[in-house]
Amino acid sequence: QSDKVKLADKEQHLNRDVDKMRTELEATRKALDRERVRAGELENKLVSANQAHGFKLQVVHKQLEEERKKNQFDASTLDASLKGKYEARLKKEIKKLRAMFEEQAEKARRDYMSVHSRKLAELQDQLSRERSNNNADSIQLKDCLSRMEAYKRKIEELERLKLDLQQQLSS
């Protein structure tokens, strides 16, 4: 009998669990149905919002096209005017740049000529000094050569005298 009581308690307990689960299942089904209804409503709202957006977009495109037509004008006259102004500005800038270039070129030429003249003067001074040094050396060399010639003649004369003396002594 105790087994029967235990089984009965267990069955009762399981029945309560089943009832509880059935209640939860029913609540979940109802919540699912509510969510499906809500999803349908939201989908309908989305479809109508997309349609309204599409219609508004068409209206805006139409208005934009109308505005473009209103604001469209002869761009060729404006282009010619702008082109003329641009060319005038461009010529002015080119003239200014040429003047700057010529000024810089003249300055560079003057600087080069100044440096060139100074270097040329320095080199001419150096050449003059070298020439005068060479002249002095040349004169000194000529002087040395003439003294050497004089010494050679003196030596030759002395050697002749020596030879004469030796011959006189030997005879």
Side-chain angles (χ1 to χ4, degrees), residues 1 3 25-26 46 60 63-64 75 107 114 128 136 142 147 169:
Q1 194 177 30
D3 284 337
L25 178 63
E26 192 61 34
L46 178 65
V60 167
Q63 289 173 346
L64 179 64
K107 183 179 181 235
S114 171
S128 296
K142 286 179 184 176
R147 278 189 279 152
L169 283 174

Side-chain angles (χ1 to χ4, degrees), residues 107-120:
K107 183 179 181 235
R109 189 184 62 74
R110 283 193 310 265
D111 290 347
Y112 174 76
M113 291 304 287
S114 171
V115 169
H116 182 265
S117 297
R118 189 175 57 237
K119 278 289 187 189
L120 187 60

Side-chain angles (χ1 to χ4, degrees), residues 139-160:
I139 292 170
Q140 193 175 10
L141 180 62
K142 286 179 184 176
D143 186 41
C144 284
L145 287 174
S146 64
R147 278 189 279 152
M148 277 179 53
E149 282 299 318
Y151 290 142
K152 277 185 186 178
R153 284 190 299 265
K154 187 82 166 171
I155 290 173
E156 285 174 4
E157 187 181 326
L158 288 173
E159 283 188 6
R160 239 177 310 141

Side-chain angles (χ1 to χ4, degrees), residues 30-99:
K30 286 179 183 177
L32 178 64
D33 288 341
R34 283 193 303 269
E35 284 298 314
R36 283 182 181 156
V37 168
R38 191 165 161 237
E41 290 171 355
L42 288 175
E43 191 173 327
N44 289 338
K45 282 182 183 178
L46 178 65
V47 167
S48 32
N50 280 340
Q51 288 173 348
H53 176 69
F55 178 73
K56 286 179 183 176
L57 191 60
Q58 284 177 349
V59 169
V60 167
H61 278 295
K62 195 177 222 181
Q63 289 173 346
L64 179 64
E65 212 41 57
E66 288 172 7
E67 284 297 316
R68 281 185 183 156
K69 287 177 183 175
K70 278 187 211 175
N71 293 332
Q72 193 173 19
F73 56 94
D74 190 13
S76 62
T77 57
L78 181 63
D79 285 348
S81 169
L82 287 175
K83 186 177 179 182
K85 287 179 183 176
Y86 177 74
E87 284 177 359
R89 267 181 60 195
L90 190 60
K91 285 178 184 177
K92 185 179 174 184
E93 285 297 317
I94 288 173
K95 190 175 183 180
K96 190 189 302 182
L97 287 172
R98 273 194 190 127

